């Protein structure tokens, strides 16, 4: 085994660890939602290649209003789904679309585009 | 002392005034009742125009009622009231949560509707106005935007207005009670602009436009990449192409430099989405298809460029570039996305069909004038005129006239339903024969059609439990593929044949490109969308993907008897006369129904209707007497008549002869017999029964032939229940079940290890519907029925149960095909791309083939889902 081979093997191991760490094990940034004056928890989400922010922490029992703005034309992200709340919304490009519901039970609820390529998470506390 | 009547303006003496009213600190006197009535309707109007002398501090106040959504019923809306009262110019606020109204007295000099609506919004509520978009022609100057906005905002009834110069459209929130589209257009015209209809208001059209735009964008990107691919491809394999083969190595090297330059715009124009998408995902610590494509093509380009720029660094034979991979893969994947988009448009056709049913205009009668207005402006309480052949615009109740209405588009019922005064009509159905007027009860998003559309859309976007597996898999999929690609490279580099670097790179790029999770992700949603749409076309509303998936595996169907198998309404079934006939059977029925016409007994109605069906003229009745627990007695045309049960006949000592036997056999058939005696002699029997729907037996047979056990459940006595069961071919009967025990009985069936569906006709069956694995409500598409069940059969027929199960089976089969296909594609494609077959067969995938395969895998899935559109139910409705 020559030096380049050893180098490639070692790089392979390092890359594997990096990929696993970056996509699975590193903690994700969470966005805590502030309460508006009316008691609703409002957050604006930009849709462009992903949801920004994508991990959202809300309180249970209070209405949540997520305002999506899709800033791309790729048809992939045109629908956002909340399968656990039986909610979905079409997101026309450039328009603000509200999704409103009141989570009753604490837990983690995913939201995603129709194909599941873009994903976000709603953490209810 | 005299004063003016505020309504008609007549001078009247206060002593002789007909009535007086106190309002806002003033006293009014009236000359006549009609003036009082008119005043009471809107007392506020007269405060301002009042001719009373003296200072009136509230003189300038206006009053308005604003419909506000989601007012709290229990807690007082203090925040809302306080917020409004704190505004300068607001005098009084009354919140009526029950009616969803906020009544305001305000000074229009100090604050306008826009300010009020703003205050309500900032308190967390929304004013329930209509929204419209109006196009403005040739809107160029930015400053005019403000002028038009202000003009619109100062139009009475406007809650908010914004003008967008980019789209050349005004978007206006307004109260349709206080303003019309024409007023809004006028406001725009005052600034010298010409209003035109907005491009499109229908969300589905908007989506279609967006899809069309996106399609042409993708196709442009595809053609760009495709055209560049051709020369790049030719120069990538110089040894195989005549003419190029003969060029010197020097020339070919220069062509590669050119290839490097021309593929750059392919990467950054045609592949723009992949790179931005990959970067966005990367920032979110996630990876998706874009990541794989971007990595694959990016790596290929970088390697190639490096190899062309510094050929000396690379071992012999590895310095050849593969720019072809970059261009061709991007071209193919973009083409795949374009084709997928086109196919997707077809799958949503069910919703388009439903929305297309909506009428565009309505002929409203306001102030006893008929006018055609856009259907969006119709208000609850409006009276609408409908002529034969016209579409009924919204939901309502007939107040004048009658007709036959074709409801097939919503219910699938092919026979027109006859409608008379007091009957409900549903928007989007077609009036056939007569003209009528109806009062609207539901408009806009509350109409049955709008609810159905909303529900179908939600269901189409819901998830079948089976999709969760695919989801979980695809969540881990991409990083795993990236790791696999890394190790493919390592292994080929370490133990692969020469040239190792090229093999290692080509195989790992192929792995990245072939492993697209798209097909997996698309497998369920596409089929669900088509399947649920197909259900809707057949009058079956499936609430969720979960219901659709469960319905497929149903082993037992429990049918409620009354209203589900039967019509739920007694009908006259038999008229028998005694062995020594006193009268003919028509005569017997005529006399009996004359008596029953006076009775209030529910069965009496059935007898009267039976007589009317035979076109019998009913007679006058005297001395009518109801004998509780026995029957009735009366005199008709001089003859004394008794109608009742055996007890009544025994009490009156009437010999029944063979009639008693006949009555028993009628009762055995589940009918309710009534004896009739004329002048003290037994004359015959009239029987009524809740009759079976015409197609129940056929539907039950179809269910049984599908291998499903059919069970009947009822609160009725066993004899009646079994009689009905025999007629429709049901062998297992759960009779004498109390309503609250229905759910328990379902549970018992489930305890036998069966997947149970319950079919009931609405609210009283709700617990059982909820307990069952799948609850099917027979309803008319009204809110309650939709809410209570997993599946709603809009048409009353049991055939809908058969169709629902058929749709479910067809859709789930389609989903399995898709999943298996997508799974196999990835499970087989990835190892082959890694070169697993190379040691045995020398087989290796080229990245080009991988690109084509990945592009067409998702197209295949969408195409297979579209096959479902050809689904035909056994009982075709049209």
């Amino acid at each position: 085994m020559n030096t380049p081979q050893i180098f490639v093997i070692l790089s392979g191991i390092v890359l594997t660890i990096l990929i696993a760490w970056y996509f699975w094990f590193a903690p994700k940034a969470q966005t805590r939602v502030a309460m508006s004056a009316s008691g609703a928890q409002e957050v604006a989400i930009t849709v462009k290649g992903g949801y920004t922010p994508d991990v959202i922490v809300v309180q249970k029992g209070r209405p949540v209003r997520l305002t999506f703005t899709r800033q791309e034309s790729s048809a992939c992200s045109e629908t956002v789904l909340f399968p656990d709340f039986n909610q979905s919304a079409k997101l026309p490009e450039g328009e603000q679309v509200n999704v409103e519901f009141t989570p009753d039970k604490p837990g983690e609820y995913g939201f995603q585009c129709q194909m599941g390529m873009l994903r976000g998470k709603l953490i209810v506390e | 002392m005299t004063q003016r009547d505020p309504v008609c303006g007549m001078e009247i003496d206060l002593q002789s005034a007909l009535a007086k009213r106190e309002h806002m600190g003033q006293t009014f006197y009236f000359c006549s009742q009609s003036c009082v009535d008119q005043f009471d309707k809107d007392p506020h109007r007269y405060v301002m125009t009042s001719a009373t002398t003296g200072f009136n501090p509230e003189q300038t106040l206006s009053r308005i009622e604003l419909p506000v959504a989601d007012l709290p019923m229990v807690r007082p809306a203090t925040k809302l009231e306080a917020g409004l009262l704190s505004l300068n110019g607001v005098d009084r606020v009354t919140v009526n949560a029950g009616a969803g109204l906020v009544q305001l007295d305000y000074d229009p000099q100090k604050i306008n509707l826009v300010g009020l609506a703003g205050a309500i919004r900032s308190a967390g509520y929304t004013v329930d106005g209509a929204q419209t978009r109006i196009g403005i022609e040739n809107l160029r100057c930015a400053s005019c935007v403000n002028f038009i906005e202000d003009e619109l905002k100062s139009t009475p009834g406007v809650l908010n207005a914004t003008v967008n110069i980019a789209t050349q459209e005004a978007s206006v929130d307004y109260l349709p009670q206080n303003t019309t589209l024409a007023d809004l257009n006028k406001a725009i015209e005052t600034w010298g602009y010409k209003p035109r209809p907005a491009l499109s208001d229908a969300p589905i059209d908007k989506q279609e436009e967006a899809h069309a735009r996106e399609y042409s964008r993708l196709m442009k990107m595809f053609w760009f990449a495709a055209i560049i691919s051709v020369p790049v491809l030719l120069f990538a394999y110089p040894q195989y192409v005549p003419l190029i083969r003969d060029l010197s190595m020097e020339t070919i090297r220069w062509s590669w430099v050119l290839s490097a330059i021309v593929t750059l715009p392919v990467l950054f124009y045609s592949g723009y989405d992949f790179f931005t998408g990959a970067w966005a995902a990367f920032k979110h610590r996630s990876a998706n298809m874009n990541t794989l494509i971007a990595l694959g093509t990016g790596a290929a380009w970088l390697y190639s460029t490096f190899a062309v720029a510094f050929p000396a660094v690379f071992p012999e034979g590895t310095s050849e570039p593969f720019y072809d991979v970059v261009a061709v893969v991007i071209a193919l994947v973009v083409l795949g996305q374009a084709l997928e988009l086109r196919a997707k448009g077809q799958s949503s056709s069910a919703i388009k069909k439903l929305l297309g049913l909506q009428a565009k205009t309505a002929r409203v009668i306001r102030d006893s004038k008929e006018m055609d207005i856009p259907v969006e402006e119709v208000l609850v309480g409006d009276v609408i005129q409908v002529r034969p052949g016209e579409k009924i615009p919204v939901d309502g109740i007939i107040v004048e006239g009658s007709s036959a209405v074709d409801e097939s588009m919503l219910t699938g019922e092919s026979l027109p339903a006859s409608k008379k005064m007091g009957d409900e009509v549903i928007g989007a159905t077609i009036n056939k024969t007569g003209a009528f007027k109806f009062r609207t009860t539901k408009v806009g998003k509350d109409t049955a059609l709008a609810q159905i559309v909303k529900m179908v859309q939600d269901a189409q976007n819901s998830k079948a439990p089976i999709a969760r597996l695919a989801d979980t898999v695809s969540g881990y999929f991409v990083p795993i593929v990236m790791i696999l690609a890394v190790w493919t490279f390592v292994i080929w580099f370490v133990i692969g044949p020469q040239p190792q670097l090229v093999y290692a790179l080509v195989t790992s790029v192929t792995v990245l490109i072939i492993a697209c999770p798209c097909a997996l992700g698309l497998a369920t949603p596409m089929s669900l969308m088509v399947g649920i749409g197909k259900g809707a076309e057949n009058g079956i509303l499936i609430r969720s993907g979960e219901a659709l998936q469960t319905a497929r595996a149903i082993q037992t169907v429990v049918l409620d008897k009354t209203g589900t198998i039967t019509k739920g309404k007694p009908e006259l079934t038999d008229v028998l006369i005694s062995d020594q006939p006193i009268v003919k059977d028509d005569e017997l029925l005529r006399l009996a129904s004359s008596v029953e016409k006076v009775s209030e007994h529910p069965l009496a109605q059935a007898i009267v209707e039976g007589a009317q069906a035979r076109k019998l003229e009913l007679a006058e009745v005297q001395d009518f007497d109801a004998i509780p627990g026995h029957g009735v007695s009366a005199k008709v045309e001089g003859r004394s008549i008794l109608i009742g049960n055996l007890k009544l006949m025994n009490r009156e000592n009437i010999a029944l002869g063979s009639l008693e036997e006949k009555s028993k056999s009628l009762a055995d058939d589940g009918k309710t017999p009534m004896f009739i005696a004329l002048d003290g002699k037994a004359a015959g029997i009239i029987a009524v029964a809740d009759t079976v729907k015409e197609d129940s037996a056929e539907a039950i047979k179809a269910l049984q032939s599908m291998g499903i056990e059919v069970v009947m459940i009822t609160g009725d006595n066993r004899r009646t229940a079994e009689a009905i069961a025999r007629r429709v071919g049901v062998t297992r009967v759960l009779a004498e079940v109390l309503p609250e025990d229905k759910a328990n009985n379902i549970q018992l069936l489930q305890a036998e290890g069966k997947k149970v569906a319950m079919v009931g006709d609405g609210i009283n069956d709700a617990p059982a519907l909820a307990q069952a694995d799948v609850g099917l409500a027979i309803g008319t598409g009204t809110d309650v029925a939709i809410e209570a069940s997993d599946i709603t059969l809009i048409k009353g027929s049991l055939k809908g149960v058969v169709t629902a199960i058929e749709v479910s089976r067809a859709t789930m089969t389609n989903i399995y095909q898709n999943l298996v296909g997508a799974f196999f594609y990835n499970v087989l494609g990835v190892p082959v791309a890694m070169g697993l077959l190379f040691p045995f067969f020398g087989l290796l995938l080229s990245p080009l083939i991988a690109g084509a395969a990945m592009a067409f895998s998702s197209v295949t899935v969408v195409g297979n889902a579209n096959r479902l559109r050809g689904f035909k139910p056994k009982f075709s409705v049209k």
Side-chain angles (χ1 to χ4, degrees):
Chain A
M1 202 172 280
N2 55 26
T3 326
Q5 287 174 335
I6 293 169
F7 173 75
V8 165
I9 292 174
L10 287 179
S11 309
I13 294 171
V14 170
L15 263 178
T16 308
I17 293 170
L18 266 179
I19 292 170
W21 171 80
Y22 189 80
F23 291 111
W24 291 324
F25 300 112
K28 284 199 169 195
Q30 297 184 348
T31 304
R32 231 161 242 286
V33 175
M35 209 75 70
S36 79
S38 59
Q41 315 183 66
E42 295 183 23
V43 62
I45 298 173
T46 308
V47 185
K48 194 179 181 192
Y51 300 108
T52 314
D54 63 341
V55 182
I56 295 152
V57 185
V58 296
Q59 311 259 295
K60 68 167 180 178
R62 286 180 177 278
V64 173
R65 181 181 297 154
L66 306 169
T67 308
F68 286 89
T69 316
R70 175 165 155 244
Q71 292 177 348
E72 62 182 353
S73 63
S74 156
C76 216
S77 53
E78 69 183 1
T79 310
V80 61
L81 303 181
F82 289 80
D84 300 306
F85 298 96
N86 226 347
Q87 286 257 2
S88 68
K90 292 253 184 284
L91 310 174
E93 190 185 349
E95 266 180 47
Q96 295 196 342
V97 178
N98 286 337
V99 175
E100 293 170 329
F101 51 85
T102 306
D104 296 325
K105 279 197 209 120
E108 290 191 6
Y109 305 97
F111 59 94
Q112 58 174 93
C113 71
Q114 202 183 30
M115 270 176 44
M117 223 168 77
L118 316 182
R119 287 162 185 283
K121 202 160 47 173
L122 192 74
I123 300 173
V124 181
E125 288 182 342
Chain B
M1 196 184 162
T2 63
Q3 205 179 7
R4 267 181 208 279
D5 180 319
V7 178
C8 62
M10 195 166 81
E11 283 279 336
I12 43 172
D13 185 27
L14 294 191
Q15 304 303 315
S16 65
L18 180 97
K20 69 171 190 182
R21 291 281 186 275
E22 302 257 349
H23 186 69
M24 295 183 83
Q26 297 176 35
T27 313
F28 299 91
Y29 297 87
F30 302 92
C31 67
S32 68
Q33 188 60 44
S34 76
C35 287
V36 181
D37 290 345
Q38 207 167 335
F39 177 86
D40 286 346
K41 257 190 237 156
D42 187 8
H44 209 72
R45 233 176 95 193
Y46 302 97
V47 177
M48 278 164 281
T49 58
S50 125
T52 44
T53 50
F55 175 65
N56 178 4
E58 290 156 322
Q59 205 148 26
T60 55
L61 286 188
S62 290
R63 172 171 294 182
I64 190 159
E65 280 186 342
L66 295 174
V68 175
D70 342 305
L71 285 173
M73 293 299 272
V74 194
R75 293 167 290 119
T78 25
K79 195 178 230 153
L80 176 65
E81 285 184 31
L84 284 167
L85 282 173
S86 68
L87 295 175
N88 183 21
V90 174
D91 188 66
R92 205 175 57 86
V93 179
T94 321
V95 175
N96 181 350
L101 288 173
V102 172
Q103 199 181 55
L104 288 159
D105 290 343
Y106 69 103
D107 182 350
Q109 306 281 333
K110 290 186 184 146
I111 188 159
N112 62 6
L113 210 49
V114 180
L116 296 172
I120 292 174
R121 248 198 313 279
S122 59
Y125 301 92
T126 39
V127 180
D128 234 355
Q131 200 182 37
T132 190
R133 295 192 299 141
I134 306 170
I136 303 168
E137 270 176 31
N138 296 320
L139 182 63
R140 291 279 176 267
C141 76
S143 60
C144 306
V145 168
N146 290 332
F147 293 139
I148 298 174
E149 268 183 17
D150 288 344
E151 186 70 36
L152 284 170
K153 280 182 187 166
S154 63
T155 308
V158 170
L159 301 169
N160 201 7
T162 47
V163 174
N164 184 337
I165 190 160
T167 55
Q168 304 217 335
E169 272 175 6
S171 141
V172 188
D173 291 343
Y174 66 104
L175 296 173
Q177 296 92 316
N178 300 50
T179 190
T180 63
L181 217 49
D183 294 336
L184 301 177
N185 285 342
K186 230 176 273 165
I188 293 172
E189 279 164 4
T190 40
W191 286 94
Y193 286 98
K194 238 182 117 177
R196 58 168 167 76
L199 281 181
S200 167
D201 272 330
I204 205 88
D205 292 350
K206 244 175 28 196
Q207 195 189 339
E208 232 164 62
E209 275 169 35
H211 275 184
R213 266 203 312 274
E214 176 70 5
Y215 180 77
S216 66
R217 186 179 80 101
L218 287 172
M219 283 316 272
K220 259 187 239 154
M221 284 158 52
F222 161 70
W223 282 116
F224 183 77
I227 288 166
I228 293 202
S229 295
V230 177
V232 171
L233 199 57
L234 291 180
F235 283 98
Y237 303 98
Q239 59 274 35
Y240 302 116
V241 189
L243 292 180
I244 297 178
R245 179 163 48 194
D246 309 330
L247 294 173
S248 71
M249 196 60 209
E250 186 74 2
T251 324
I252 287 173
R253 282 222 164 264
W254 277 112
S255 79
W256 288 345
V257 173
L258 259 173
S259 295
I261 295 166
V262 293
T263 43
L264 259 187
V266 174
L267 279 179
F268 291 110
Y269 168 66
S270 303
Y272 176 81
D273 287 359
F274 304 130
F275 286 92
T276 50
W279 176 241
F282 184 78
K283 276 192 299 189
H284 287 105
R285 287 178 185 274
S286 72
N288 53 36
M289 176 196 100
N290 294 331
T291 318
L292 296 179
I293 305 287
L295 272 180
T297 56
W301 192 87
L302 284 178
Y303 169 85
S304 306
T305 309
F306 219 71
V308 171
F310 311 102
V313 180
F314 291 83
E316 187 66 21
T318 61
S319 67
E320 287 188 14
F322 39 106
Y323 290 112
D324 53 321
V325 170
V326 178
V328 176
V329 165
I330 287 182
L332 285 173
V333 177
V334 170
L335 178 67
Q337 287 183 335
L339 293 178
E340 182 188 313
L341 192 69
R342 168 154 289 191
K344 258 187 190 170
Q346 293 171 349
S347 6
S348 64
S349 61
I351 291 280
K352 246 177 278 170
K353 264 189 214 166
L354 282 174
L355 279 174
L357 295 174
Q358 176 71 266
K360 299 278 179 285
T361 59
R363 188 167 304 118
V364 174
I365 302 172
R366 283 187 192 158
D367 302 328
S368 58
K369 261 188 295 190
E370 275 187 21
M371 49 183 179
D372 281 321
I373 61 170
V375 74
E376 294 81 24
E377 289 188 4
V378 175
L379 304 172
V380 170
D382 269 339
V383 172
I384 293 181
Q385 167 82 47
V386 186
R387 303 215 180 100
E390 286 182 342
K391 222 172 231 184
I392 297 168
V394 294
D395 299 1
I397 289 169
I398 297 189
V399 290
E400 195 185 311
S402 65
S403 180
V405 175
D406 176 6
E407 296 184 336
S408 61
M409 58 294 294
L410 290 184
T411 64
E413 177 69 63
S414 51
L415 288 177
S418 73
K419 303 274 179 180
K420 55 183 190 302
M421 242 176 81
D423 282 349
E424 222 173 89
V425 288
I426 304 171
T429 56
I430 294 172
N431 178 26
K432 286 288 201 195
T433 51
F436 62 85
K437 290 176 185 165
F438 74 98
R439 201 181 59 247
T440 61
T441 52
K442 281 176 182 162
V443 299
K445 61 182 193 311
D446 299 325
T447 62
L449 180 69
Q451 281 192 21
I452 289 171
V453 168
K454 171 90 180 75
M455 206 204 83
V456 173
Q457 268 174 341
D458 282 353
Q460 284 184 330
N461 288 326
S462 75
K463 277 207 162 161
I466 189 167
R468 303 206 184 257
L469 178 72
D471 263 14
T472 329
V473 172
S474 59
Y476 289 99
F477 192 75
V478 175
I480 288 178
V481 168
M482 287 161 72
I483 291 170
L484 284 178
V486 167
W487 285 99
T488 306
F489 185 94
V490 171
I491 289 167
W492 277 91
F493 189 82
V494 175
I495 58 168
Q498 287 294 336
Q500 286 159 330
L501 188 60
V502 173
Y503 272 122
L505 202 81
V506 170
T507 44
S508 56
V509 165
T510 313
V511 168
L512 286 175
I513 287 168
I514 202 164
C516 167
C518 297
L520 212 57
L522 278 172
T524 29
M526 290 316 292
S527 309
L528 264 192
M529 184 151 147
V530 181
I532 286 173
K534 218 53 211 174
E537 272 173 38
N538 289 289
I540 293 154
L541 304 181
I542 301 163
R543 255 172 82 84
S544 66
E546 198 168 347
L548 189 80
Q549 180 171 344
T550 327
R552 172 186 171 270
I554 288 302
Q555 292 157 303
T556 303
V557 171
V558 181
L559 303 172
D560 175 46
K561 180 181 78 78
T562 317
T564 301
I565 298 180
T566 67
K567 290 177 181 158
K569 197 179 137 227
E571 270 179 20
L572 177 74
T573 55
D574 301 80
V575 181
L576 301 176
I577 47 172
S578 56
D579 294 340
Q580 294 86 38
I582 311 174
V583 288
K584 285 214 178 99
D585 56 354
D586 268 5
E587 178 68 3
L588 183 74
L589 179 59
R590 187 180 73 86
L591 294 171
S593 52
S594 300
V595 176
E596 294 290 12
K597 197 165 186 246
V598 188
S599 164
E600 284 161 1
H601 198 273
L603 295 181
Q605 178 83 21
I607 297 174
V608 175
E609 276 173 14
Q612 280 163 348
R614 296 195 193 185
K615 304 216 169 4
L616 303 175
E617 292 257 334
L618 303 190
E620 285 293 309
V621 178
Q622 279 123 24
D623 305 335
F624 178 86
D625 190 18
I627 310 153
H630 291 79
V632 293
S633 73
K635 269 200 161 58
V636 180
E637 293 171 349
R639 307 175 80 159
S640 80
I641 182 166
L642 286 168
I643 306 174
N645 53 18
L646 193 61
K647 264 198 276 182
L648 179 72
M649 297 297 137
N650 288 341
R651 194 179 81 164
E652 303 288 327
N653 292 324
I654 292 165
L656 291 167
S658 68
L659 284 181
E660 198 172 340
E661 200 52 45
K662 283 179 184 162
S663 106
K664 272 212 186 94
S665 85
L666 284 172
D668 281 342
D669 278 347
K671 296 170 183 171
T672 310
M674 282 171 275
F675 296 101
I676 298 168
L678 278 173
D679 301 324
K681 275 194 193 123
I685 297 175
I686 287 181
V688 297
D690 182 6
T691 53
V692 172
K693 288 179 192 163
E694 286 80 8
D695 47 14
S696 289
E698 198 187 337
I700 287 167
K701 210 168 145 208
L703 282 174
Q704 286 163 339
S705 71
M706 289 164 93
I708 294 167
E709 183 191 18
V710 181
V711 179
M712 184 169 103
I713 196 165
T714 178
D716 254 358
N717 66 61
R718 182 152 290 279
R719 208 165 57 164
T720 315
E722 277 177 350
I724 299 269
R726 262 198 308 280
R727 207 162 322 144
V728 293
V730 174
T731 44
R732 188 164 176 188
V733 180
L734 306 172
E736 291 160 38
V737 178
L738 298 172
E740 58 269 30
D741 283 343
K742 276 189 183 170
N744 285 340
N745 276 280
I746 302 279
Q747 212 170 3
L748 287 177
L749 285 169
Q750 285 170 326
E752 293 174 20
K754 287 171 178 156
K755 286 252 179 271
V756 180
M758 164 81 195
V759 189
D761 59 341
I763 311 160
N764 57 343
D765 294 320
L769 289 174
Q771 172 64 41
D773 295 291
V774 180
L776 296 98
I778 290 197
T780 46
T782 50
D783 5 3
V784 180
I786 291 177
E787 283 304 318
S789 59
D790 303 312
I791 298 177
T792 305
L793 312 172
I794 305 183
K795 190 183 175 185
S797 162
L798 274 185
K799 285 179 178 172
V801 182
V802 182
T803 312
I805 294 176
E806 278 183 326
V807 168
S808 144
R809 286 186 176 177
T811 310
M812 289 316 293
T813 310
N814 198 274
I815 289 177
Y816 287 132
Q817 289 165 352
N818 280 346
L819 280 178
V820 168
F823 190 68
F824 262 94
Y825 162 81
N826 280 313
V827 161
L828 293 180
V830 173
V832 172
M834 288 169 75
L836 223 60
L837 296 181
F838 186 77
F840 311 108
F841 306 103
L843 185 70
L844 208 52
L845 278 186
S846 114
L848 302 188
I849 306 276
M854 96 129 262
F856 291 103
S857 67
S858 37
V859 176
T860 322
V861 162
V862 178
N864 187 43
N866 274 341
R867 256 183 354 106
L868 256 188
R869 297 197 302 144
F871 165 82
K872 286 261 181 311
K874 192 174 200 164
F875 299 112
S876 190
V877 286
K878 275 158 201 158

